[in-house]
Amino acid sequence: MKNPITHRALSLAIGTATLAMGMAANAQDAQIDRKVAELMKKMTVAEKVGQLHQLSGRQFTGPTSSAYADKLADIRAGKVGSMLNVKGVADTREIQALALQSRLKIPLLFSLDVIHGYQTVFPVPLGESASWDMEAIELSAHIAAKEAAAAGIHWTFAPMVDVARDPRWGRVMEGAGEDTYLGSRIAAARVHGFQGKQLGATDSVMATAKHFAAYGAAIAGRDYNAVDMSNQQLFETYLPPFKAAADAGAATFMNSFNTLNGVPATGNAFLQRDILKGAWKYKGFVVSDWGSVREMVPHGYAADLSDAAVKAINAGSDMDMEGYAYSQHLEAAVKTGKVKMATLDDAVRRILYKKFELGLFDDPYRYSDAAREKTVLGDVSHRAAALDVAQKSIVLLKNGNQLLPLSREARRIAVIGPLADSQRDLEGGWVVQGERAKVVSILEGMRSHAGKAEISYAQACAPGCTSNEGFADAVAKAAAADVVVLAIGETWDQSGEAKSRSDITLPGQQEALFNALKATGKPVVVVMLAGRPLVFNTIADQADAIVYAWFPGSEGGNAVANVLFGDYNPSAKLPITFPRSVGQIPLSYIQYNTGRPVTDEKNVVYKSAYIDSVNTPRYAFGHGLSYTEFKYSGMTLSSPLMNGAQKVTLSFDLANTGKVEGTEIVQLYLRDMVSSVVRPLKELKGFEKVRLKPGESRRISFTIDRDTLSFFNSQLTWGAEAGDFKLMVGSASDDIRLESTLKLN
Ligand code: BGC
């Protein structure tokens, strides 16, 4: 059944932002439209269906995929439109040459999951998001695109823009965290980074906004699970990053494995037809997720593969990734009228349009240039960018007695732990072409930055830490040192797709290792690697200092060392809440007051609270310390009243009152006090990264307009309601420094 929401309501709901992907507005678009139409006149139905069929290359052949030789024969026969998991100039040239043997010589699109770097590995996306640094994030995506595009790739399956508030879900690692506003800003930055100024430039690739939609809300954080949510929640929280990606020009969308309110996203006309291609007038194409067309059968939504093909394309899924539903059944479905020719044509048109836009008809090999591959992949400036963003991503969670930064003066530092000398674990998941041997481990980074300090090392246990046999050696090294740096956390394969965990405490015996080291009485700095928030209460209470480094990439060891020795003053802020226990999940800073708010943790009787736990998070969204201090003062509003379309400027002074230069990420939150739909206690509405020298201060301003105050009402109409708004500025969602009230007339 179709969702009863009208197009008009949807377009109003989603706002009136200029649609970057609108009509064939300029001459170039019209010219491409003409070329596509001419080509399509020559195509048989089978050839059209071929354009919608995407196969995986040699590296990953799915359980139902045909033999590799059959795939190559199909390419030659013009039955394939795109191939994923093929990379490198040599391979892409070889396979493209087969496509050019087909009757109409339509080139293939080569796609790959270039999620956080191609050869140069950047921090995992959640880590990078902790930088709140749009320029660095855009540059990271641009370098990934440049390297991939030099190695024959036209199209990356990134960015993942799923809002995710359940750290049991291993894929929180791939996104921007829990917040819709921050996530939307990052979605746009990543799309701009991957695609550059114009599609078709050979230092850019097509981006994919995925997974459309609401995949991040899988029930209980179990991957691929069902999603059930109100349209209000969908519109308010989960769709805006996709809209931001579409507005930024994302060339493609990928749908998702989950059902949304009972309908698989892949067969969901409400999502793909009404919202994406209808209200948003999206002009790119939608690729299914891996086999997700076929998976509508086990979901119980399609009777068989043929039914799945019909339901998916009619609902707006243009390309079938490794599903074999379109390749085997679409031609017949068009003949029997279950799928209209116009529906097939629309999907084919969207895909061919992109092939023309990339310039593949002019030169099918333009991304596969051996000389460029060699120079671009060897570009050392890429490592510098990876180091820069890795440093900006490392969150200083705790710094007891200002233990950090470490002094280099004649100190003995014991670097210990299963992840201390690991290279693989620094890269995280989704590494496609990383040069493992060149990854700088934490130990290597510490050694090369140590100056006069003496570094000793003990692994204590292997990654996974299932045995304590090496603990004695580690304890001895700790006892002989002045300070211990302990590198623990998740291994690279404990977060990511299909890596949901019901227990997100430290795996293996790592907490026991911490306890043994702490018992030496030596100060312990914990460096934690992970793709998600972990629960580590003992360490949070007892470690002297904690830095959260995520999976920081190729330059991870140098980034960690720079932070620990103070060559980089940490500035990152958490893009996702860290709970105290799995029982608090899902936990986000987006909280509602309820009719029974907790005002005093000592009195939770008949309150909206847990009686067996502190009710705050362990570390709140937006938290992150620095080696300096920032003072907020003097907040003013240009007017306490806002009328009509008037804008109000909120200003305040930020001063660096500490001893070293540092960067603060100032955050603007607001609460709509009374409204037709209850609003959260705080919603992020703006932020700015401000770098200040010791003693320096600067006046910071945010502009507030009606849009800032707007939300979706129960009719899903976007708008602001008159009344009072609380404005809050601070250093974290739980560290508000200044408040004021604004009235909207
Ligand atoms: C993932 C996608 C990915 C695709 C292709 C799927 O399993 O969900 O995010 O892009 O595989 O590798």
Side-chain angles (χ1 to χ4, degrees):
M1 221 187 57
K2 265 196 104 179
N3 198 299
I5 295 160
T6 63
H7 278 196
R8 187 177 142 66
L10 282 169
S11 36
L12 286 174
I14 295 296
T16 50
T18 11
L19 290 156
M21 315 276 310
M23 319 99 249
N26 60 47
Q28 199 205 345
D29 291 354
Q31 203 185 18
I32 296 182
D33 280 340
R34 261 196 311 278
K35 287 182 184 168
V36 170
E38 272 164 34
L39 177 58
M40 283 180 62
K41 272 190 220 142
K42 298 182 201 147
M43 292 171 82
T44 63
V45 173
E47 282 164 337
K48 288 178 180 173
V49 169
Q51 289 305 304
L52 316 189
H53 182 38
Q54 187 184 48
L55 287 176
S56 179
R58 218 187 315 245
Q59 291 154 317
F60 306 95
T61 31
T64 58
S65 70
S66 52
Y68 190 61
D70 293 348
K71 293 184 174 187
L72 301 186
D74 283 350
I75 292 172
R76 224 180 276 118
K79 292 180 180 170
V80 182
S82 170
M83 210 165 198
L84 74 150
N85 296 330
V86 183
K87 60 184 162 69
V89 165
D91 283 6
T92 52
R93 283 192 90 92
E94 194 182 312
I95 292 173
Q96 193 67 291
L98 300 178
L100 298 180
Q101 290 173 32
S102 64
R103 188 179 78 92
L104 292 171
K105 304 184 182 0
I106 301 176
L108 291 171
L109 282 175
F110 293 115
S111 57
L112 192 69
D113 290 277
V114 182
I115 307 294
H116 54 113
Y118 182 76
Q119 181 160 298
T120 310
V121 182
F122 288 82
V124 292
L126 183 63
E128 266 189 7
S129 302
S131 73
W132 299 45
D133 191 313
M134 298 309 120
E135 275 172 36
I137 289 173
E138 186 173 330
L139 181 62
S140 153
H142 174 64
I143 290 172
K146 199 170 165 185
E147 291 187 358
I153 305 303
H154 308 132
W155 173 24
T156 178
F157 293 139
M160 183 186 104
V161 303
D162 298 312
V163 169
R165 296 179 173 173
D166 191 330
R168 290 172 297 184
W169 191 50
R171 301 197 83 167
V172 299
M173 177 205 99
E174 296 174 49
E178 74 181 45
D179 188 57
T180 301
Y181 176 81
L182 178 62
S184 300
R185 296 271 305 263
I186 291 176
R190 290 194 166 130
V191 170
H192 289 310
F194 286 129
Q195 296 193 166
K197 285 194 184 63
Q198 205 189 344
L199 278 189
T202 49
D203 62 351
S204 75
V205 293
M206 297 199 294
T208 309
K210 73 184 190 185
H211 306 84
F212 196 62
Y215 184 37
I219 293 172
R222 209 184 72 213
D223 210 359
Y224 315 124
N225 204 3
V227 172
D228 198 292
M229 68 170 62
S230 66
N231 278 333
Q232 203 137 11
Q233 181 71 263
L234 178 70
F235 276 62
E236 176 168 319
T237 306
Y238 290 86
L239 291 185
F242 286 99
K243 182 63 166 62
D247 286 345
T252 73
F253 266 51
M254 184 187 291
N255 57 38
S256 54
F257 291 122
N258 57 285
T259 55
L260 174 63
N261 302 331
V263 179
T266 305
N268 202 312
F270 172 56
L271 286 173
Q272 301 176 114
R273 292 250 178 248
D274 297 352
I275 297 178
L276 181 63
K277 293 175 179 176
W280 297 357
K281 298 189 168 60
Y282 182 65
K283 228 185 139 200
F285 69 87
V286 180
V287 63
S288 80
D289 203 344
W290 179 289
S292 68
V293 175
R294 149 167 57 84
E295 286 186 17
M296 294 204 297
V297 178
H299 270 301
Y301 188 74
D304 51 29
L305 200 59
S306 157
D307 192 26
V310 171
K311 286 183 168 146
I313 192 159
N314 285 339
S317 293
D318 300 308
M319 187 180 275
D320 178 10
M321 183 200 296
E322 270 289 336
Y324 299 87
Y326 289 6
S327 62
Q328 292 173 18
H329 298 287
L330 216 48
E331 203 181 338
V334 170
K335 279 204 184 103
T336 56
K338 285 187 181 157
V339 172
K340 291 197 182 88
M341 186 62 94
T343 305
L344 174 66
D345 282 350
D346 178 60
V348 176
R349 193 177 298 119
R350 288 167 183 269
I351 293 163
L352 290 177
Y353 191 99
K354 293 300 168 201
K355 292 186 176 183
F356 276 106
E357 215 178 347
L358 292 177
L360 294 178
F361 284 95
D362 299 329
D363 177 4
Y365 302 108
R366 62 195 297 265
Y367 289 75
S368 302
D369 172 331
R372 195 169 69 241
E373 183 177 44
K374 211 162 163 211
T375 22
V376 171
L377 297 191
D379 188 336
V380 285
S381 72
H382 297 179
R383 293 289 291 226
L387 174 62
D388 179 64
V389 70
Q391 292 172 167
K392 289 174 171 165
S393 302
I394 295 175
V395 188
L396 178 63
L397 291 178
K398 178 178 182 184
N399 194 13
N401 299 322
Q402 310 295 308
L403 174 63
L404 296 176
L406 298 175
S407 143
R408 290 184 173 96
E409 292 307 309
R411 302 201 73 195
R412 285 164 304 167
I413 303 172
V415 176
I416 292 174
L419 304 180
D421 199 24
S422 170
Q423 292 173 302
R424 180 65 192 94
D425 295 299
L426 261 62
E427 293 178 310
W430 287 125
V431 174
V432 285
Q433 184 68 26
E435 291 179 296
R436 191 129 320 136
K438 292 193 184 163
V439 174
V440 181
S441 76
I442 294 170
L443 177 63
E444 189 188 339
M446 290 298 288
R447 280 189 173 137
S448 63
H449 291 73
K452 287 186 200 147
E454 192 186 298
I455 305 280
S456 62
Y457 166 65
Q459 189 188 31
C461 54
C465 205
T466 48
S467 155
N468 63 7
E469 276 167 29
F471 284 19
D473 172 44
V475 168
K477 298 246 167 65
D482 299 307
V483 62
V484 177
V485 171
L486 173 62
I488 49 177
E490 289 187 314
T491 52
W492 71 272
D493 55 354
Q494 284 171 330
S495 274
E497 184 177 348
K499 297 292 164 19
S500 293
R501 292 174 60 201
S502 64
D503 172 3
I504 54 168
T505 56
L506 276 166
Q509 302 201 35
Q510 297 182 99
E511 189 170 313
L513 173 61
F514 167 81
N515 290 335
L517 298 172
K518 185 69 193 163
T520 62
K522 296 298 163 78
V524 180
V525 178
V526 172
V527 177
M528 194 103 52
L529 301 185
R532 54 151 71 87
L534 295 175
V535 167
F536 46 92
N537 292 309
T538 306
I539 290 176
D541 289 336
Q542 294 177 19
D544 298 275
I546 306 172
V547 299
Y548 216 78
W550 315 99
F551 295 124
S554 305
E555 285 287 332
N558 286 330
V560 167
N562 281 345
V563 165
L564 296 190
F565 287 118
D567 297 327
Y568 182 82
N569 183 358
S571 58
K573 303 277 190 181
L574 294 177
I576 187 166
T577 303
F578 278 44
R580 291 171 190 274
S581 67
V582 166
Q584 285 183 306
I585 297 171
L587 183 65
S588 145
Y589 84 95
I590 298 285
Q591 291 288 320
Y592 297 87
N593 205 36
T594 79
R596 305 274 184 104
V598 179
T599 45
D600 172 6
E601 277 285 346
K602 289 192 200 85
N603 176 13
V604 294
V605 184
Y606 289 103
K607 296 287 162 66
S608 179
Y610 296 109
I611 58 168
D612 60 349
S613 164
V614 178
N615 284 279
T616 53
R618 184 81 235 192
Y619 298 109
F621 173 83
H623 172 75
L625 305 173
S626 163
Y627 296 149
T628 189
E629 301 277 314
F630 297 98
K631 187 172 162 248
Y632 291 65
S633 64
M635 178 146 124
T636 57
L637 290 182
S638 57
S639 160
L641 271 182
M642 194 193 240
N643 295 305
Q646 191 192 356
K647 291 182 181 171
V648 168
T649 307
L650 174 156
S651 308
F652 61 95
D653 291 315
L654 182 76
N656 180 345
T657 54
K659 294 192 178 65
V660 289
E661 187 168 357
T663 299
E664 171 73 321
I665 302 174
V666 297
Q667 300 157 42
L668 167 70
Y669 295 91
L670 73 73
R671 179 182 177 194
D672 186 341
M673 300 307 290
V674 179
S675 41
S676 64
V677 171
V678 166
R679 306 301 306 148
L681 287 167
K682 274 177 206 125
E683 284 179 277
L684 184 72
K685 291 291 176 179
F687 60 86
E688 196 177 323
K689 275 189 98 159
V690 189
R691 186 163 183 82
L692 294 174
K693 295 200 165 57
E696 190 184 351
S697 88
R698 193 171 308 155
R699 192 127 184 102
I700 311 295
S701 295
F702 289 108
T703 303
I704 295 165
D705 59 16
R706 280 189 84 83
D707 215 42
T708 322
L709 308 180
S710 294
F711 63 94
F712 293 106
N713 69 15
S714 52
Q715 273 72 53
L716 294 181
T717 305
W718 177 252
E721 293 178 1
D724 287 342
F725 293 80
K726 183 156 116 183
L727 303 174
M728 294 156 273
V729 164
S731 179
S733 64
D734 68 344
D735 186 8
I736 298 300
R737 306 286 181 87
L738 302 167
E739 284 185 12
S740 183
T741 306
L742 175 68
K743 198 179 206 41
L744 175 70
N745 278 331

